[in-house]
Amino acid sequence: MGILEGKRILVTGVLTDASIAFSVAKLAQEEGATVVLTGFGRLSLVERIAKRLPEPPPVLELDVQSTEHLDTLAARVGEHVDGLDGVVHSIGFAPQSALGGNFLNTAWEDVSTALHVSTYSFKSLAVACLPLMKEGGSIVGLDFDASKAWPVYDWMGVAKAGLESANRYLARDLGKHNIRVNLVAAGPLRTMAAKSIPGFKEFEDSWPEKAPLGWDLSDTVPAAKACVALMSDWFPATTGEIVHVDGGVHAIGA
């Protein structure tokens, strides 16, 4: 039996098989979970990627900026599973003007988009899934360490700082529902999202050298394993936490 045997998991943010969310979905299935995916935009692409999983799951459309999509999410997920034990938030976006060293010149319209999609959606997704989590469960979000001002990350860094704060408030307010809320702060990985960041090569060049454990920019499995562990029954009293899966860079003053 796997550590997610019998659990029902919703995974958002699968774009390609190089995404952390794909690795989470794959590992969750291998550990015994029933998985439902959500996608946005090119849904046919997500459906093709889903067929590469051990058991192709249903794929639902979810635009986290759409009130209609959020309001109907529980009913649509409920057509495939009778409840949820885990939810993975792997959603983030910032317009190009909000990245790449343009911090002082980014217009509010673009900043608001980054905050809505990357920060506020964590709360929106949790609330949308709450009716399906009557027996409690675990919500896990994907993070990038927001304790520092990183090169080129700019307003996405601010959005991630907001995500870390939202994580604590959600942990506070969902605890009474026996729902744990935690983040996994992964190091830089060559995902679709990373490729959209101007100057991402700065992370690629320095991170493996700084990490005490080393760092493989192409390996999403360590972050996925942390997500799966947090959704299992092995962290029954952990909430509001940020688990760093970055080779140890966050702990080093270099």
Side-chain angles (χ1 to χ4, degrees), residues 82-165:
D82 58 359
L84 287 174
D85 304 289
V87 176
V88 179
H89 178 278
S90 183
I91 298 170
F93 172 75
Q96 288 290 295
S97 69
L99 299 162
N102 196 46
F103 185 82
L104 296 179
N105 301 312
T106 309
W108 166 244
E109 289 75 15
D110 289 342
V111 171
S112 65
T113 297
L115 295 177
H116 193 169
V117 177
S118 309
T119 306
Y120 186 76
S121 67
F122 195 39
K123 189 279 298 184
S124 300
L125 181 64
V127 171
C129 293
L130 189 56
L132 293 170
M133 304 182 76
K134 298 185 187 302
E135 299 175 8
S138 173
I139 298 173
V140 180
L142 272 298
D143 186 26
F144 188 78
D145 180 32
S147 65
K148 303 173 183 64
W150 297 103
V152 310
Y153 208 47
D154 294 354
W155 285 101
M156 183 57 89
V158 176
K160 290 298 187 183
L163 181 72
E164 293 180 358
S165 183

Side-chain angles (χ1 to χ4, degrees), residues 6 23 26 32 42 130 137 144 170 180-181 191 196 209 212 220 225 232-233 238 249:
S23 286
K26 182 175 184 290
R42 298 170 61 187
L130 189 56
F144 188 78
L170 281 172
R180 295 168 283 121
V181 188
T191 62
S196 70
E209 296 177 2
T220 57
K225 285 184 174 181
S232 77
D233 294 330
T238 299
V249 170

Side-chain angles (χ1 to χ4, degrees), residues 41-248:
R42 298 170 61 187
L43 211 60
S44 60
L45 174 60
V46 181
E47 290 168 344
R48 286 201 301 273
I49 296 299
K51 292 177 182 177
R52 300 178 187 176
L53 291 168
E55 183 69 31
V59 178
L60 308 178
E61 186 175 18
L62 177 61
D63 175 1
V64 291
Q65 291 183 284
S66 167
T67 300
E68 179 185 357
H69 281 196
L70 290 163
D71 287 348
T72 61
L73 182 63
R76 291 185 289 130
V77 172
E79 294 175 2
H80 303 281
V81 290
D82 58 359
L84 287 174
D85 304 289
V87 176
V88 179
H89 178 278
S90 183
I91 298 170
F93 172 75
Q96 288 290 295
S97 69
L99 299 162
N102 196 46
F103 185 82
L104 296 179
N105 301 312
T106 309
W108 166 244
E109 289 75 15
D110 289 342
V111 171
S112 65
T113 297
L115 295 177
H116 193 169
V117 177
S118 309
T119 306
Y120 186 76
S121 67
F122 195 39
K123 189 279 298 184
S124 300
L125 181 64
V127 171
C129 293
L130 189 56
L132 293 170
M133 304 182 76
K134 298 185 187 302
E135 299 175 8
S138 173
I139 298 173
V140 180
L142 272 298
D143 186 26
F144 188 78
D145 180 32
S147 65
K148 303 173 183 64
W150 297 103
V152 310
Y153 208 47
D154 294 354
W155 285 101
M156 183 57 89
V158 176
K160 290 298 187 183
L163 181 72
E164 293 180 358
S165 183
N167 179 61
R168 293 186 285 270
Y169 281 95
L170 281 172
R172 180 195 70 181
D173 289 354
L174 295 180
K176 63 186 176 185
H177 299 284
N178 195 32
I179 295 173
R180 295 168 283 121
V181 188
N182 296 286
L183 297 177
V184 171
L189 293 161
R190 292 193 182 108
T191 62
M192 186 75 76
K195 290 176 182 177
S196 70
I197 301 174
F200 181 74
K201 196 172 186 304
E202 291 190 41
F203 292 113
E204 293 184 319
D205 292 343
S206 63
W207 208 277
E209 296 177 2
K210 291 180 179 179
L213 293 176
W215 185 249
D216 185 342
L217 290 146
S218 301
D219 188 3
T220 57
V221 172
K225 285 184 174 181
C227 293
V228 167
L230 286 167
M231 287 188 291
S232 77
D233 294 330
W234 287 93
F235 282 87
T238 299
T239 194
E241 187 60 85
I242 302 172
V243 178
H244 290 82
V245 183
D246 64 354

